[in-house]
Amino acid sequence: MRAGKIPSDRRFTATHSWLALAPGQSFSDYPLRAGVTDTALDEIEVVGLELPAVRSTIEAGAPCALVWTSARTVVTVFAPISGLVTMTNDDALANPQLVADDPFHRGWLFAVLPSPTSSAYGLLTPAQYTHELSEAV
């Protein structure tokens, strides 16, 4: 992970997915962008993506997307929350390397409208995620 590059407006999973939260907004009133951290894609070339279909439902903790690498390996992306997929990132689909080069901004994967029963419970703050990474070393 690139030191100091963990955005403060995100929440994370132990499986290296992230969810962008806007300050002052209610958790389930609007779609939230989601993606995968650079830790999951450490120093690899991304050559393809399989994203969830728009208007499909994803479940927190379940596989929802795949990132294909030049080493012919696949990184599975797990949903950070449950909800309805409202949009996918066409720029990342056209240029998959964006996911590795700029994972927290231009390389986001999809937007999800949280289900009414979804919550941020279980998602890690940036400080907690950093701690988890340091424990894994």
Side-chain angles (χ1 to χ4, degrees), residues 78-118:
F78 296 90
I81 58 167
S82 299
L84 178 71
V85 176
T86 60
M87 176 188 320
T88 57
N89 185 349
D90 290 337
D91 291 339
L93 286 168
N95 179 10
Q97 188 59 32
L98 279 176
V99 176
D101 292 345
D102 192 10
F104 297 115
H105 302 288
R106 295 182 6 204
W108 61 277
L109 298 177
F110 57 88
V112 58
L113 180 64
S115 66
T117 58
S118 285

Side-chain angles (χ1 to χ4, degrees), residues 4-102:
K5 298 285 185 180
I6 298 175
S8 62
D9 64 343
R10 307 287 197 275
R11 294 299 177 263
F12 301 88
T13 68
T15 56
H16 309 295
S17 298
W18 59 260
L19 184 71
L21 300 178
Q25 298 289 330
S26 177
F27 183 71
S28 62
D29 286 349
Y30 58 95
L32 306 169
R33 287 188 178 181
V36 63
T37 70
D38 52 355
T39 299
L41 305 173
D42 194 25
E43 312 243 348
I44 61 173
E45 181 183 354
V46 176
V47 296
L49 300 171
E50 288 184 33
L51 301 179
V54 172
R55 292 193 283 277
S56 67
T57 301
I58 58 174
E59 295 296 322
C64 65
L66 299 174
V67 178
W68 296 90
T69 74
S70 62
R72 296 187 179 155
T73 58
V74 178
V75 175
T76 302
V77 179
F78 296 90
I81 58 167
S82 299
L84 178 71
V85 176
T86 60
M87 176 188 320
T88 57
N89 185 349
D90 290 337
D91 291 339
L93 286 168
N95 179 10
Q97 188 59 32
L98 279 176
V99 176
D101 292 345
D102 192 10

Side-chain angles (χ1 to χ4, degrees), residues 1-7 12 39 124-137:
M1 164 129 309
R2 296 173 208 134
K5 298 285 185 180
I6 298 175
F12 301 88
T39 299
L124 305 172
T125 66
Q128 291 168 323
Y129 184 65
T130 301
H131 179 73
E132 289 277 324
L133 292 176
S134 67
E135 293 288 315
V137 173

